[in-house]
Amino acid sequence: MRTPAISIEHLQKAYGALVAVDDLSLEIQRGEFFGLLGPNGAGKTTTINAIVGLVKPTSGRILVNGLDAVRDYRRVHRVVGIAYQELILDGSFLTVREILTYQAGYFGIPARRARAKADELLERFGLWEKRSAKVQELSGGQKRRLVLAKALIHDPEIVILDEPTAGADVEMRLQLWEMLQELNTQGKTILLTTHYLEEAERLCGRVAILHRGRLVSLGTPEQLTRERGQAHLEEVFLELIRSERA
Amino acid sequence: MTGFLTLLQREIVRFLKDAIDTIAPPTISVILFLLIFGVALGSRLGEVYGVPYIQFMMPGLLLLAIVRNAFLNPAYSLFQSRWYGNIADFLVSPLSVEQIALAIILGGVARGMLVGTLVLLAAWLLTGVSVAQPVWALGYAFAVAVAFAGLGCIVGLWTRGWEGVGAIDTFVLDPLVMLGGVFYSVEMVRGVPIIEPLTALNPFTYITEGFRTAILGGAETHVLAGLGLTLALGAICVGAALVLFRVGYHLKA
């Protein structure tokens, strides 16, 4: 059997008395489209930040393609691309095109290839016209596409997206869904966190539902709805969250 | 290496694109000092240690420009990247944390050396001063820039607000440098209460004396003592910055 793309083993993250992630274990196979669901404060962002080393686990470990995310962080970073929920862009002095070419450079891509890769992504994400603009001149939707393009600049095997469609209008959400499905079809492993259960139902092969840092359910959307005798993931989600609260 | 060089390029482009705020003010302020003390008051101030006062003061002003610019660049750049969150761009890349720290520090060194070169050029045009020991002076200036860029890196990590960088600049760096022999030597303030002990106990005084000697000429022991002190300060600051990066201080939750 192939090594899983991401293997989370007994991950624990505490901030003082607050336990953000509590003994979380799960595996994401290569090529999967995996959704991490949960209400605000469930530990979704902490978990994905731990995968890329922005959060230091209190205990437990994460393996990416079999490599330890803390010890082997440089090799892990080569194969992971992450798009944050906050539209973080190095926009104080760089243009849209420069943001992508610099990001490619940090990943060791030489200048000429970096420019070609940046231009290809600018075309693909409908940002070519804005290539010389500053971030402040972009609309919310354009920023979101740029964040996604940035995550893909080094052609990562694993793409992690934190709430990729938060605040997006209907048309853009559909566009982004298409793009993500296309990436998955190309063989990329996708891990996304989302609030939108319809999104998870439509895109994800498997989902994990987190609540207060703990894994409360794991399976395909069909499995979860069938097991709980519900028609939609949303009802399963609400039932699980309410029963956890009780 | 491409990753490291890209980040270093980013650090340099950042201050070059904003030259009106980063390069012009320190260069102009030193030129004004040179005009006032050299051209306007020069004839009334006489000579100090056998050279016109303006020439005596010039190495100190040059050092001050290098110190402040080498310090401010990493401090603001790093804090700005933390503030806006784009520090994550570097942290999730295959760059090692040590490479990130060194690129940011070298960005500061580049700004310090660039402003230093402009100030030296202005001083040469206005006062005709020349550098007695160019190799020593260049090496010395580089070591000073590295040390204070290291300090800037530490402050950029430590501060929780924009005012933190300004506070260190105003309340620590300025008094340290101003009372560190830029405008006078220890001999000139012998017996002056407060000023003499503050100057004599200030390590920056010996860094300035050494640099002045490298520029104006004189006993090599002065240069070596000042350089030794600078290298020790540099080792501490750069070492501390690397350790802070490695533990993820204010970088990782």
Side-chain angles (χ1 to χ4, degrees):
Chain A
M1 204 177 131
R2 291 181 79 191
T3 324
I6 299 170
S7 177
I8 300 172
E9 298 173 2
H10 305 288
L11 179 68
Q12 183 97 10
K13 179 63 192 178
Y15 299 99
L18 175 80
V19 180
V21 178
D22 190 3
D23 195 26
L24 177 67
S25 292
L26 57 88
E27 279 188 355
I28 299 166
Q29 302 306 325
R30 295 188 191 204
E32 257 200 293
F33 202 130
F34 194 96
L36 214 47
L37 316 183
N40 287 333
K44 305 184 297 288
T45 302
T46 303
T47 303
I48 60 170
N49 278 340
I51 298 171
V52 293
L54 292 177
V55 159
K56 294 183 279 189
T58 307
S59 63
R61 65 172 188 166
I62 297 173
L63 303 177
V64 175
N65 285 353
L67 298 168
D68 189 293
V70 174
R71 260 202 333 263
D72 282 321
Y73 69 97
R74 297 182 67 185
R75 286 164 75 192
V76 166
H77 290 173
R78 282 192 190 285
V79 296
V80 177
I82 183 164
Y84 303 100
Q85 179 184 357
E86 296 91 28
L87 302 173
I88 294 169
L89 292 160
D90 191 0
S92 54
F93 62 97
L94 299 177
T95 65
V96 166
R97 194 174 186 233
E98 285 168 337
I99 285 174
L100 293 179
T101 51
Y102 273 87
Q103 193 66 24
Y106 305 147
F107 280 84
I109 301 172
R112 189 185 294 184
R113 211 145 55 81
R115 279 194 295 274
K117 185 72 191 166
D119 290 353
E120 177 203 320
L121 286 168
L122 289 171
E123 289 272 13
R124 187 160 142 207
F125 286 87
L127 291 166
W128 180 250
E129 302 299 317
K130 292 283 177 187
R131 63 190 179 282
S132 304
K134 291 281 181 66
V135 169
Q136 300 87 314
E137 300 163 40
L138 300 184
S139 69
Q142 288 165 334
K143 281 184 194 164
R144 196 160 284 287
R145 277 178 279 153
L146 181 56
V147 165
L148 187 54
K150 193 165 63 120
L152 298 174
I153 194 77
H154 57 295
D155 205 14
E157 288 170 36
I158 301 165
V159 183
I160 299 176
L161 308 123
D162 195 7
E163 304 278 353
T165 60
D169 62 27
V170 179
E171 197 192 343
M172 198 179 98
R173 184 167 299 162
L174 289 172
Q175 256 183 22
L176 284 165
W177 285 355
E178 266 176 41
M179 283 176 186
L180 298 180
Q181 273 170 327
E182 196 190 317
L183 288 171
N184 188 232
T185 313
Q186 289 165 1
K188 297 197 187 300
T189 308
I190 299 196
L191 165 60
L192 66 77
T193 73
T194 185
H195 272 101
Y196 303 107
L197 298 165
E198 187 203 343
E199 182 166 287
E201 209 155 25
R202 190 152 162 174
L203 297 173
C204 300
R206 283 196 308 147
V207 297
I209 300 178
L210 300 186
H211 186 48
R212 293 179 183 154
R214 302 187 56 193
L215 179 67
V216 292
S217 198
L218 174 70
T220 66
E222 298 76 34
Q223 272 172 347
L224 300 189
T225 46
R226 200 171 347 106
E227 276 169 18
R228 302 260 159 190
Q230 302 285 7
H232 295 287
L233 201 52
E234 186 161 332
E235 288 137 10
V236 176
F237 180 82
L238 289 172
E239 190 192 316
L240 281 166
I241 301 305
R242 282 181 190 139
S243 66
E244 280 282 315
R245 267 184 202 145
Chain B
M1 201 60 184
T2 304
F4 173 77
L5 292 176
T6 307
L7 184 51
L8 176 57
Q9 184 187 349
R10 177 201 180 271
E11 289 303 296
I12 294 172
V13 168
R14 195 192 75 91
F15 72 74
L16 287 181
K17 277 202 181 179
D18 194 21
I20 291 290
D21 281 329
T22 55
I23 305 297
T27 310
I28 289 171
S29 79
V30 174
I31 291 172
L32 289 173
F33 265 112
L34 292 170
L35 282 173
I36 294 163
F37 287 97
V39 182
L41 298 174
S43 57
R44 292 165 185 242
L45 293 171
E47 291 197 340
V48 181
Y49 302 125
V51 292
Y53 181 68
I54 185 64
Q55 289 199 11
F56 169 83
M57 188 181 70
M58 192 282 289
L61 286 176
L62 180 54
L63 199 66
L64 178 64
I66 295 169
V67 163
R68 292 199 69 221
N69 284 281
F71 168 80
L72 287 175
N73 206 65
Y76 275 121
S77 176
L78 194 48
F79 179 66
Q80 191 179 36
S81 292
R82 283 176 50 218
W83 179 261
Y84 289 112
N86 64 281
I87 187 85
D89 289 350
F90 325 141
L91 294 175
V92 303
S93 79
L95 286 164
S96 70
V97 284
E98 292 82 4
Q99 284 178 315
I100 298 173
L102 288 178
I104 291 172
I105 289 171
L106 282 180
V109 173
R111 178 162 149 195
M113 296 301 275
L114 175 63
V115 174
T117 306
L118 294 174
V119 166
L120 187 62
L121 197 65
W124 175 69
L125 288 171
L126 291 170
T127 70
V129 71
S130 62
V131 180
Q133 303 176 49
V135 178
W136 277 111
L138 185 67
Y140 205 117
F142 190 81
V144 165
V146 170
F148 284 88
L151 182 67
C153 195
I154 295 168
V155 171
L157 282 178
W158 159 79
T159 184
R160 288 185 184 276
W162 293 101
E163 66 284 356
V165 180
I168 296 290
D169 184 33
T170 309
F171 298 114
V172 180
L173 223 51
D174 261 0
L176 194 73
V177 175
M178 292 291 182
L179 297 170
V182 170
F183 298 101
Y184 53 83
S185 70
V186 188
E187 281 69 36
M188 288 162 77
V189 291
R190 282 271 179 253
V192 180
I194 301 171
I195 298 292
E196 189 201 346
L198 278 178
T199 308
L201 291 172
N202 183 349
F204 201 82
T205 303
Y206 306 97
I207 295 178
T208 315
E209 295 256 308
F211 190 61
R212 178 173 288 131
T213 310
I215 297 228
L216 300 179
E220 212 159 73
T221 46
H222 274 171
V223 184
L224 290 174
L227 190 57
L229 207 57
T230 306
L231 291 174
L233 181 70
I236 293 168
C237 290
V238 173
L242 289 174
V243 169
L244 292 176
F245 257 88
R246 203 169 290 171
V247 299
Y249 175 73
H250 284 177
L251 292 173
K252 297 178 183 181

